[in-house]
């Protein structure tokens, strides 16, 4: 059973079915889920294996339990990753991420885009100092200002 679960996890990662726990990679599925659950969308444009600020944002905010809990209640999380080695990503995933990077006018890494539940972009941000609690307050202010 453990070997099967490991095999399924490797398959899911290699096909781009999910990024980290709680993060999706398919924009169409993200939009469907956000609309169905009436949640905002957070897209993290990241260079997860080479971008120092992306790694810092992930470690200081996205991996913290307080953020995970808040995000689970309020957001649908999407990772649009641009790693150095894209051999583990499908051609379709790479094309989708490039298209989204252009569509939402991301300017570098990390760029974080917030979308309303219906898919309209409401804010662009990035790394913010202060940890998970401060980042949650930052996101809440962006949402309330929309």
């Amino acid at each position: 059973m453990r070997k099967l679960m490991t095999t399924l996890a490797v398959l899911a990662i290699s096909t781009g079915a999910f990024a980290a726990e709680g993060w999706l990679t398919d924009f169409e599925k993200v939009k469907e889920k956000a609309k169905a659950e009436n949640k905002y969308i957070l897209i993290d444009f990241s260079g997860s294996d080479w971008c120092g600020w992306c790694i810092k944002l992930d470690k200081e905010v996205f991996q913290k339990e307080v953020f995970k809990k808040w995000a689970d209640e309020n957001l649908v999380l999407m990772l649009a990753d641009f790693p150095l080695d894209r051999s583990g990503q499908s051609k379709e995933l790479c094309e989708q991420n490039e298209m989204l990077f252009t569509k939402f006018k991301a300017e570098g890494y990390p760029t974080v885009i917030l979308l309303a539940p219906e898919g309209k972009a409401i804010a662009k941000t990035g790394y913010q100092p202060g940890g998970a609690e401060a980042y949650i307050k930052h996101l809440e202010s962006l949402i309330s200002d929309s």
Side-chain angles (χ1 to χ4, degrees):
M1 181 63 145
R2 185 176 196 170
K3 184 173 181 161
L4 174 62
M5 302 241 338
T6 302
T7 302
L8 290 174
V10 168
L11 179 61
I13 290 168
S14 67
T15 59
F18 68 86
E21 182 183 342
W23 292 80
L24 303 174
T25 59
D26 182 320
F27 187 57
E28 291 305 315
K29 289 182 180 167
V30 166
K31 289 190 305 185
E32 289 172 15
K33 182 176 173 71
K35 188 174 183 178
E37 297 178 9
N38 195 36
K39 292 181 178 178
Y40 285 79
I41 299 168
L42 182 147
I43 304 175
D44 176 26
F45 290 95
S46 180
S48 64
D49 64 352
W50 61 268
C51 168
W53 290 107
C54 301
I55 294 165
K56 192 170 176 73
L57 177 61
D58 186 54
K59 286 182 180 177
E60 291 179 10
V61 177
F62 299 150
Q63 289 184 22
K64 300 297 182 189
E65 286 304 315
V66 66
F67 178 83
K68 290 178 183 181
K69 183 177 185 304
W70 181 84
D72 188 52
E73 295 170 2
N74 297 282
L75 302 172
V76 176
L77 300 172
M78 180 180 171
L79 177 63
D81 198 12
F82 294 82
L84 285 178
D85 179 8
R86 295 189 189 179
S87 63
Q89 294 181 328
S90 69
K91 178 183 174 191
E92 295 79 16
L93 181 63
C94 290
E95 289 172 355
Q96 169 202 261
N97 290 351
E98 292 286 346
M99 181 274 300
L100 293 171
F101 190 89
T102 301
K103 176 179 179 171
F104 294 115
K105 298 178 174 74
E107 297 168 358
Y109 306 95
T111 295
V112 175
I113 304 292
L114 277 174
L115 307 175
E118 72 278 355
K120 179 184 173 212
I122 61 164
K124 182 189 305 186
T125 189
Y127 174 81
Q128 300 284 317
E133 291 86 357
Y135 206 81
I136 290 168
K137 287 180 183 170
H138 173 64
L139 294 175
E140 287 174 334
S141 73
L142 294 173
I143 291 169
S144 68
D145 290 344
S146 65

